[in-house]
Amino acid sequence: MNVLKFGGTSVGSAERIQKVAELLLQQEKPMIAVCSAMSGATDALVEIAKSLYNNKKDVANKQITELERKHLDTVKQLLSTDKYLQIGEDYVKNRFEYIRSFTLDMFTLYEEKAVLAQGELLSTAFLSYYLEEQGHQNQLISALNFMRIDKEGEPDNYYIEENLKRELETESPSGIYITQGFICRNAYGEVDNLRRGGSDYSASLIGAAIKVDEIQIWTDIDGFHNNDPRFVENTRTLSALSFDEAAELAYFGAKILHPASILPAQNANINVRLKNTMEPEVPGTLVSSTSSESSVKAVAAKDGITAIKIKSGRMLMAYGFLRRVFEVFESYKTSIDMITTSEVAISLTIDDTTHLDKIVSELETYGVVQVDHNQSIICVVGNFIAKNSGLASEIFTAVSHVPIRMISYGGSKHNVTILVDSSYKKETLNSLNNHLFK
Ligand code: ASP
Ligand code: MG
């Protein structure tokens, strides 16, 4: 059995949903298709929830009607028989009545999750109805029956496995099972989600729970690229990456895969294949436990980084200083990405600045604090076990004309990280491209 995950663009219109159905029919069975909401739907639901939360009922009603219209139009274009047109329309109306019901009452955070869940419920129902109308009886499984997070917000793997297995006992004549990405229940049984972009994570958790042969992530580009195609010309698709390399790339900027989705697959040693829905014959990228010879694989960039430098005479030959600094970040649940230290100073980066002011004022008790916004992390990823000499000089040569704020080398065998002001990002990506991938 394989898991195939389709992102928002892949199910973004009636035509696209039909393409996905066609694609599913051509694949090996049995299989589980995991779908995102239609592109833009979750964003729209977030806006609806905001309006409801701020008690702007008129705005909310307008937004709800607009999103309902979009889904009703999709039904009309997707389905053709009276029977299924009716089923589709009824389902959309039913879901939007439910969303509308929140305009009558107080709106809480728990209800926001319930609103956000509707996008995936709708898109998966559409795919299921369309296949059925075409004569392919399939099983639509609700992720709310098996996908679950615990009190810490971490996946409850035992629960997922037990319940998913039970759901799969119901036979699917076509061999196609369909379920929602992103949505789940929490430890209290309430509707929750795996956070934005979490459908990839759903696919990976499902794949790991029932030990599928392969987890396939179908998107609108043909796999991981060796550099960011939005800023660099002539990038190449990478045919193979190790789990570690893919995790670094996903975390540091490559938008194609949710970073959390590597770990469950890696722990269960299940290959992850990235495929392009628009060009299914292109092989894409295979992520597995093996890493190929070639040393430098890819360069990626992550924007919106804030660098913080703490300079303190007290750090000189002192112990416990780093711990105290890290504790400040820990107490504000703010994770640190990059660190470099000297004898009297420490520089580090964060991307979540929610608590920046408080963090800075606490850090000021330890030394002089300097904050730089609008930084970009540029990450060079590869298998550097095979190549441990010369790489630093190649990278330094490539960026010799760029002012570097921080550089981190040796933290792992898969990554060298550079921090630059975001205004130098494009230049840095291109220069690294010219030097490393000639
Ligand atoms: N629909 C959700 C989102 O837009 C989950 C996903 O697409 O992965 O964040
Ligand atoms: Mg995504």
Side-chain angles (χ1 to χ4, degrees):
M1 171 123 68
N2 288 340
V3 176
L4 287 79
K5 181 260 169 177
F6 296 92
T9 323
S10 301
V11 294
S13 67
E15 204 185 318
R16 292 275 163 83
I17 295 171
Q18 287 165 348
K19 276 259 160 2
V20 167
E22 233 172 78
L23 213 147
L24 292 182
L25 293 168
Q26 290 159 6
Q27 305 286 316
E28 251 173 72
K29 313 285 183 314
M31 63 154 72
I32 306 180
V34 178
C35 300
S36 292
M38 295 179 75
S39 54
T42 311
D43 287 340
L45 290 165
V46 168
E47 291 307 314
I48 290 169
K50 252 188 222 156
S51 302
L52 289 170
Y53 194 75
N54 296 323
N55 214 12
K56 293 186 181 151
K57 294 194 172 150
D58 292 347
V59 183
N61 270 316
K62 251 176 85 188
Q63 291 165 326
I64 295 168
T65 305
E66 198 177 310
L67 190 62
E68 182 177 28
R69 171 101 328 242
K70 190 181 154 201
H71 282 85
L72 285 172
D73 287 348
T74 306
V75 165
K76 283 199 201 100
Q77 289 155 20
L78 178 70
L79 304 164
S80 49
T81 60
D82 287 347
K83 177 182 165 193
Y84 280 95
L85 277 166
Q86 192 64 54
I87 293 176
E89 204 180 292
D90 286 350
Y91 187 70
V92 174
K93 289 201 166 141
N94 173 292
R95 292 296 84 204
F96 281 89
E97 270 324 298
Y98 175 69
I99 299 173
R100 236 176 236 113
S101 72
F102 294 115
T103 58
L104 306 173
D105 234 330
M106 280 286 286
F107 195 69
T108 65
L109 222 54
Y110 154 63
E111 284 156 342
E112 174 179 14
K113 305 282 177 64
V115 168
L116 294 195
Q118 303 309 313
E120 271 74 11
L121 291 170
L122 285 156
S123 65
T124 47
F126 290 178
L127 177 61
S128 176
Y129 296 153
Y130 177 71
L131 280 164
E132 233 170 77
E133 188 182 51
Q134 301 295 311
H136 309 286
Q137 280 273 325
N138 59 86
Q139 278 298 336
L140 178 58
I141 301 174
S142 174
L144 301 177
N145 292 347
F146 67 86
M147 190 55 76
R148 187 166 159 130
I149 49 176
D150 61 20
K151 286 186 186 140
E152 271 74 53
E154 292 299 317
D156 184 342
N157 290 315
Y158 180 76
Y159 184 97
I160 297 168
E161 181 181 336
E162 291 299 300
N163 289 282
L164 178 56
K165 279 185 176 156
R166 196 194 57 233
E167 293 289 328
L168 291 171
E169 279 167 14
T170 318
E171 211 193 312
S172 167
S174 62
I176 300 174
Y177 294 87
I178 299 170
T179 192
Q180 301 82 25
F182 178 58
I183 69 175
C184 64
R185 287 191 190 273
N186 61 25
Y188 311 100
E190 300 159 342
V191 175
D192 210 316
N193 60 59
L194 301 175
R195 303 217 202 102
R196 295 304 307 273
S199 290
D200 295 341
Y201 195 26
S202 301
S204 178
L205 291 170
I206 290 170
I210 55 165
K211 309 271 178 299
V212 293
D213 300 312
E214 192 167 274
I215 297 161
Q216 299 179 357
I217 307 289
W218 290 78
T219 66
D220 50 2
I221 63 167
D222 45 10
F224 274 108
H225 278 231
N226 68 341
N227 208 324
D228 194 326
R230 289 168 301 179
F231 303 102
V232 178
E233 278 174 33
N234 302 322
T235 59
R236 280 189 286 107
T237 311
L238 296 159
S239 57
L241 282 173
S242 69
F243 287 122
D244 290 327
E245 292 164 348
E248 303 267 16
L249 274 181
Y251 188 71
F252 289 112
K255 288 277 175 300
I256 186 169
L257 189 65
H258 191 280
S261 52
I262 296 290
L263 195 62
Q266 184 169 20
N267 287 342
N269 198 16
I270 297 168
N271 292 354
V272 179
R273 194 182 292 274
L274 293 131
K275 296 278 287 178
N276 186 347
T277 324
M278 316 305 161
E279 290 176 84
E281 58 295 336
V282 175
T285 305
L286 182 66
V287 181
S288 70
S289 58
T290 45
S291 180
S292 64
E293 290 287 302
S294 107
S295 60
V296 181
K297 300 270 175 57
V299 179
K302 185 175 175 182
D303 294 333
I305 304 294
T306 297
I308 302 169
K309 181 158 85 186
I310 307 114
K311 196 169 169 208
S312 166
R314 270 196 274 161
M315 188 173 165
L316 191 67
M317 295 169 56
Y319 50 83
F321 178 77
L322 291 180
R323 179 177 54 75
R324 283 195 286 273
V325 167
F326 290 150
E327 268 171 2
V328 173
F329 289 88
E330 190 183 347
S331 67
Y332 291 103
K333 290 194 162 55
T334 300
S335 81
I336 297 168
D337 282 330
M338 250 185 114
I339 316 162
T340 55
T341 66
S342 80
E343 194 50 45
V344 292
I346 168 169
S347 273
L348 44 80
T349 70
I350 58 172
D351 64 357
D352 176 2
T353 53
T354 319
H355 305 293
L356 184 64
D357 290 349
K358 287 188 220 119
I359 289 173
V360 169
S361 74
E362 282 194 31
L363 289 174
E364 275 166 347
T365 60
Y366 300 120
V368 180
V369 181
Q370 181 193 328
V371 177
D372 293 314
H373 295 284
N374 299 322
Q375 306 287 304
S376 292
I377 284 181
I378 313 274
C379 176
V380 180
V381 168
N383 175 16
F384 305 146
I385 302 162
K387 183 187 175 86
N388 46 22
S389 61
L391 180 65
S393 91
E394 267 178 52
I395 293 175
F396 276 122
T397 307
V399 299
S400 60
H401 57 299
V402 177
I404 295 174
R405 173 72 172 71
M406 287 166 69
I407 184 157
S408 170
Y409 178 96
S412 94
K413 293 224 161 71
H414 306 286
N415 146 345
V416 176
T417 313
I418 302 165
L419 189 74
V420 298
D421 190 278
S422 296
S423 58
Y424 288 100
K425 175 178 86 166
K426 188 171 177 192
E427 168 67 30
T428 311
L429 286 175
N430 277 284
S431 188
L432 283 166
N433 206 63
N434 294 338
H435 280 81
L436 300 174
F437 306 128
K438 261 180 299 193

